[in-house]
Amino acid sequence: MKFGGTSVGSRERYQRMASLVAAVSGPIAVVVSAMGGTTDQLLEAGAHAEAGRWDETADVVEAIRTRHHAASKTAGDLPVIDARCDELASLLHGIYLVREISPRSRALLVSFGERLSAPIAARYLGATGRRASDIDARDFIVTNAHYDEAAVDMDLTRQGAESCLRPLLDEGVIPVITGFIAATPDGITTTLGRGGSDYTAALLGGLMNADEVWIWTDVDGILTADPRLVSEARTLSRVSFREAAEMSYFGARVLHPRTMLPCMAAGVPIRIRSTFDSQAQGTLVSEETELLPMGVKTVTAIRDMALVTLDGRGMVGIVGVARRIFQATESSGANVVMISQASSEQTVSLVVGADAVPDLVSALRSAFELELNAGWIERIGVRPDVAILSIIGQGMAGTTGISGKLFNALGAAGVNVGAIAQGASELSISVAIDDGEASRAVRAVHTAFGLTRIVHVMLIGCGRVGKSLVQMIEQTRPAMAERDLELRIIGVARSKTWWMSRQGTPQPEVERPSDDDLVSTLVRERFTDLVVVDVTASDLAPLHLACLRAGFHVVTANKVPLSGKFTDYRDMVEARNARGNRYEYETTFGAGLPVLHTLKELVHTGDTVVSVAGCFSGTLGFVCTRLGEGVSLAEAVSEASALGYTEPDPREDLSGRDVARKALIIARAMGRQLEPSEVVLHPLVPGLDAGLDTAIADFAPVLAERITAAAERGGVLRYVAEIRESGVEVGLKEVVAAGPIGSLQGPDNILVFKTRRYDAYPLVIRGPGAGAEVTAAGVLGDLLKIAQAIQ
Ligand code: ADP
Ligand code: ASP
Ligand code: MG
């Protein structure tokens, strides 16, 4: 069992570690890291000493001393802490005197972290009643003299481990071994590289044929992405050795890249588990793997890299370019993470750690001096601030369309790709991108490969539709969970107040920011798969546009933003197309009826829509039906309002403006570039500017007369919209009572599509066109469409 720095950061953490070990019977060996952050502190002290800052150096040593005393307090007195800290202080004083730190002394310096930690861990373990003994790994892990990332001599180490550890295990003593450090055959301290304690554990487990190696850490296992970048990342239950190796190589720092080799060779499985949740199964790394539907299991990023490019037409035909590049990189000591060469041989790009650039560039300059002077190679360019994003998974081999999906996702997120490489194993694909875009890119790719399962919902407006939507979302929860999906409401904004929480737990409401600030807050929170749902009736065109430009999806039941200036409409459609996100507005029209969907299908299948006519207003349909039944205009209007059929201000309906808006949305969906002023509008009730009641009182007698006259002719009055090639017109019309429009009752909507195909018998859609419930159901339908697309 290995416990990382994140698992031994304090007294409580050491105690937790001890109880986890003690809970398992049978022979166990424990490997511990330095207390979290100590290795960095030691390096910092070394840098102070080298620069001649003794006071600062001494301060760091004292901080380390105090922290270790505090952590060991309940385990009893540990004189070894002071002895080690004194020894550390004299090493640093030596460095301070000569103002120089060599790789060899640096390895000795950082060894103090683990050497201080192991005795404390052993002491806590002893306190549980198990016998434990702290062991210095330098006594038996033998390496070469590559001090800061040494290579292990397997045979000598196996012999050493057997003779040093086996007798203890046989006696029931738990050896508590320092991770990370080792020694050369002459006993000079070396390290296995940063994060190397994982490797120590795997090495001993492999060489001594353990049943399993357990790596205890602060996350539930290997996740689909670094949880610090993607909060929705999930734990993978099974990962193969090769996948795990590729993942850690490309930046999943939960495991040191070399960890897998010794266990793979010996067939010893590795389990990664969380000290915070010992019930969770964690991730099992073994020969076998689990395939995910799209093949990709993890998205990783390595930050702080640079792209070094050699280019020039003259490179075609220069002998041994690749070999000479590799020689130069080797001599400069740079670790090339990625290399790509265009088949034209005109450019070669290398991605290396940013700190390796100066040495690499000068090595390349001298290797290609001749060619540079002759102009065959035009330049050696350096692009700083690069990150490498990789997608990894065994299932990718043999799945088509993976790179297409990757580039689409990056393109849609507005991320520029600098260079591309695919591992020969087809286990990974890597791209170089701008470092500043790394987290956004990781999130976008994580979603594109179906690894994100939470659709975030920000609700704007919480009236009748909003409230019933919230309830419906709650009701769909179990069904969604079965499909591994969650619709999570992360905030609700009303006109004056709002709350927001990433976890989706409603908060006390605070003053609502301006629309701009609201969008920038959402951007800052870095939500992925965020759907902003507008169920207001305000002019929120700027908000819709800002959301679409920020890459959020928008679902709206609010028709105002879509029926304003044509340029606004065009901008929104363009923003949506540019970012590849969704803008769903099915419920702006006929509540839950699939009107826009039908229209789109007709156009997609090659039909031409000639005209659309019908009653588009549930409210006015209801009012007209009640009038026909002999109810007065004033009564009919107040009934409609009480039933929730009207817009918040009933004048919106009675003026015909609401119908005009819908007609405009349909006309635009049909491709017409119309302005609102071009819709010919005859209000149902004229003179509304004088006030609702006055207008109704004035118009009621005129209307009653028209109704009677129509009835005598076998007709009824309906508020009809017509969208034709010649224009868009809405107004009160007399229609045959027995016809499709005349027979319409109550708040139902009807739409009659005449198309080239549906010529003799038009296509008719009819159904309830108003009401909070049906509208909310329609909005939920739009949300589910987006959720499904994500899956
Ligand atoms: P330890 O001290 O236990 O060795 P590390 O900090 O070295 O812990 O490694 C654990 C950390 O690795 C996690 O806290 C997490 O932030 C990071 N990490 C990066 N990528 C991944 C990933 N794909 N899965 C899990 N953890 C990851
Ligand atoms: N303490 C070392 C480091 O911080 C090794 C480890 O924790 O694995 O790199
Ligand atoms: Mg680690």
Side-chain angles (χ1 to χ4, degrees), residues 2 195 198 253-254:
K2 175 258 174 177
D198 299 327
R253 80 136 191 246
V254 60

Side-chain angles (χ1 to χ4, degrees), residues 2-7 33 198 216-219 221-228 251-255 298-300:
K2 175 258 174 177
F3 289 84
T6 53
S7 305
S33 287
D198 299 327
W216 291 96
T217 181
D218 64 343
V219 279
I222 302 185
L223 309 189
T224 51
D226 187 339
R228 290 174 212 201
R253 80 136 191 246
V254 60
L255 285 179
T298 301
V299 186
T300 59

